[in-house]
Amino acid sequence: MESRIERIKKQLHSASYKLTPQREATVRVLLEHEEDHLSAEDVYLLVKEKAPEIGLATVYRTLELLNELKVVDKINFGDGVSRYDLRQEGAAHFHHHLVCIECGAVDEIQEDLLEDVEKVVERDWKFQVKDHRLTFHGICWRCQDKTDTEDAKQDSLEKQHVE
Amino acid sequence: MESRIERIKKQLHSASYKLTPQREATVRVLLEHEEDHLSAEDVYLLVKEKAPEIGLATVYRTLELLNELKVVDKINFGDGVSRYDLRQEGAAHFHHHLVCIECGAVDEIQEDLLEDVEKVVERDWKFQVKDHRLTFHGICWRCQDKTDTEDAKQDSLEKQHVE
DNA sequence: ACGATAATGATTTTATTTTGCAACTTCCTG
DNA sequence: CAGGAAGTTGCAAAATAAAATCATTATCGT
């Protein structure tokens, strides 16, 4: 993790930006919540725990900066807020998401999956693909299990009290 | 087109909503700009031409309603505005988009392309896919042509004035 | 340590979207 | 075809997110 921060620091420097304490604190929060999909406000509140003097504007600026450097990706799941997601180190493409319409959970898929599709797009639409955003909406395995269990429960109830 | 409005009217009725003149005007604007990706404000201004007395809030409410009914999809290309895109009639899935990072043009892909990928997701992640969002970011054929032309121009200039 | 340059935090501003509410429509019922 | 409940509208105000402003402060190479 330290080495990861070091590398981000180098990225900043090579674009002649500085790794200030505020920026470092922000990056640390992102690293500690790699699985989550935090909004700017979320990040702000978490960073504030470590560095209470930080301002919201700085968090916005830092996130925008990290987005420029392709360290994070700015995503939008349809609620009005932008969320920020660390990009896998060295990944050329952004990873995919599974959004559960039951419980709202967001899972990640790191595999590419789109190689063939991109080839088709490049060939048939003459579109030179640089990046992509892919999100599936549906029902996650947890909610499928839950529903199964409830169905089973429901079934047994219906057996007891036939209406 | 009239029949399409008729069908949307039925959809509204079956959810016990009404097709008011304002809603009809809004739907007509959407149909007439099927290729575009209008923001709420865009729609508002266009509807106002036909029905000047309409309020912005009504447009927002209508778009939200049509989104609920899956007549339109609400999309977000990363600028701060939501855009509304008519769904192909009968399409189970939302179509895909090609966003050009040079000129900002947004093209649509109606083909599915994701059948295989969805199978993998359902199998390997036990995720029951209901819908998807796929957007490619890259360079459209128009800008590729443009760049080619400019390169050629540049080449010939360089031949004339070698530095 | 110094000084140019970059970054910060508090606050204000902008832009988009949502909400509250009184007035107005719509459409069903008799 | 009048009456009335339910649904809808337009306006204005409020809520939200994000960006911009600006005086102050920190950073880093020399």
Side-chain angles (χ1 to χ4, degrees):
Chain A
M1 162 136 159
E2 290 310 313
S3 63
R4 194 131 173 226
I5 290 190
E6 272 309 307
R7 283 193 292 276
I8 292 174
K9 184 172 182 177
K10 272 178 198 141
Q11 273 190 273
L12 281 166
H13 283 160
S14 67
S16 60
Y17 293 117
K18 295 161 188 169
L19 182 64
T20 61
Q22 290 89 337
R23 285 178 184 167
E24 183 171 336
T26 305
V27 170
R28 279 183 192 281
V29 163
L30 290 172
L31 285 167
E32 285 162 15
H33 295 263
E34 202 158 358
E35 294 295 303
D36 302 337
H37 300 85
L38 303 173
S39 68
E41 188 84 28
D42 293 338
V43 175
Y44 172 60
L45 293 173
L46 287 165
V47 175
K48 233 174 151 44
E49 290 174 11
K50 307 181 167 192
E53 75 292 351
I54 201 170
L56 177 57
T58 301
V59 172
Y60 270 103
R61 282 182 291 227
T62 302
L63 290 171
E64 192 192 5
L65 185 57
L66 293 173
N67 185 49
E68 256 176 50
L69 297 177
K70 300 272 191 186
V71 172
V72 303
D73 283 289
K74 195 174 176 178
I75 44 175
N76 203 298
F77 290 125
D79 54 347
V81 259
S82 294
R83 297 175 180 281
Y84 298 84
D85 208 351
L86 266 176
R87 190 176 276 226
Q88 202 87 338
E89 252 187 313
H93 286 308
F94 191 44
H95 56 259
H96 317 307
H97 292 97
L98 304 177
V99 178
C100 181
I101 54 181
E102 291 281 331
C103 67
V106 179
D107 295 322
E108 301 191 346
I109 294 185
Q110 299 293 341
E111 270 85 323
D112 191 330
L113 300 181
L114 287 181
E115 286 185 340
D116 294 343
V117 175
E118 291 193 356
K119 272 178 202 143
V120 172
V121 170
E122 303 229 353
R123 175 161 49 80
D124 294 358
W125 278 268
K126 299 202 193 322
F127 187 86
Q128 194 180 325
V129 176
K130 297 283 189 186
D131 203 358
H132 54 230
R133 293 294 157 101
L134 174 58
T135 304
F136 290 104
H137 297 255
I139 301 175
C140 72
W141 59 271
R142 291 170 294 263
C143 288
Q144 285 178 41
D145 282 0
K146 211 190 303 164
T147 309
D148 290 351
T149 314
E150 274 160 23
D151 284 356
K153 212 184 292 168
Q154 195 60 36
D155 284 353
S156 64
L157 278 170
E158 275 166 10
K159 268 174 208 157
Q160 294 183 299
H161 316 278
V162 183
E163 286 167 28
Chain B
M1 161 138 159
E2 292 307 315
S3 63
R4 194 129 173 227
I5 291 190
E6 273 308 307
R7 283 193 292 276
I8 291 173
K9 185 173 180 176
K10 273 177 198 141
Q11 273 190 273
L12 281 166
H13 283 161
S14 67
S16 59
Y17 294 118
K18 295 162 188 170
L19 183 64
T20 62
Q22 290 90 337
R23 286 179 184 166
E24 184 171 333
T26 305
V27 170
R28 279 183 193 282
V29 163
L30 291 172
L31 284 168
E32 285 162 15
H33 295 263
E34 203 159 355
E35 292 296 301
D36 302 337
H37 299 86
L38 303 174
S39 68
E41 187 85 27
D42 294 337
V43 174
Y44 172 61
L45 292 173
L46 288 165
V47 175
K48 235 176 148 48
E49 289 174 12
K50 308 181 170 194
E53 75 292 351
I54 202 170
L56 178 58
T58 302
V59 172
Y60 270 103
R61 283 182 288 227
T62 302
L63 291 171
E64 192 192 9
L65 185 56
L66 294 173
N67 185 49
E68 255 175 51
L69 297 176
K70 299 273 190 186
V71 172
V72 302
D73 283 289
K74 194 175 179 179
I75 44 175
N76 204 298
F77 290 126
D79 54 346
V81 259
S82 293
R83 297 176 179 280
Y84 298 84
D85 208 350
L86 265 176
R87 190 176 276 226
Q88 201 88 338
E89 251 188 313
H93 287 310
F94 191 45
H95 56 259
H96 316 307
H97 291 96
L98 304 177
V99 178
C100 181
I101 55 181
E102 291 281 332
C103 67
V106 178
D107 296 321
E108 301 191 348
I109 295 185
Q110 298 293 342
E111 270 86 325
D112 190 332
L113 300 181
L114 287 180
E115 287 185 340
D116 294 343
V117 175
E118 292 193 356
K119 273 178 204 144
V120 172
V121 170
E122 303 229 355
R123 175 162 47 80
D124 294 358
W125 277 270
K126 298 203 193 321
F127 186 85
Q128 194 181 325
V129 176
K130 296 283 190 186
D131 202 358
H132 55 229
R133 292 292 159 103
L134 174 59
T135 304
F136 290 104
H137 297 256
I139 301 174
C140 70
W141 60 270
R142 291 170 294 264
C143 288
Q144 286 176 41
D145 283 0
K146 211 188 305 163
T147 310
D148 291 351
T149 314
E150 274 161 23
D151 284 357
K153 211 184 292 171
Q154 195 60 37
D155 284 353
S156 64
L157 277 171
E158 277 167 8
K159 268 173 208 157
Q160 293 185 300
H161 314 280
V162 183
E163 289 170 24

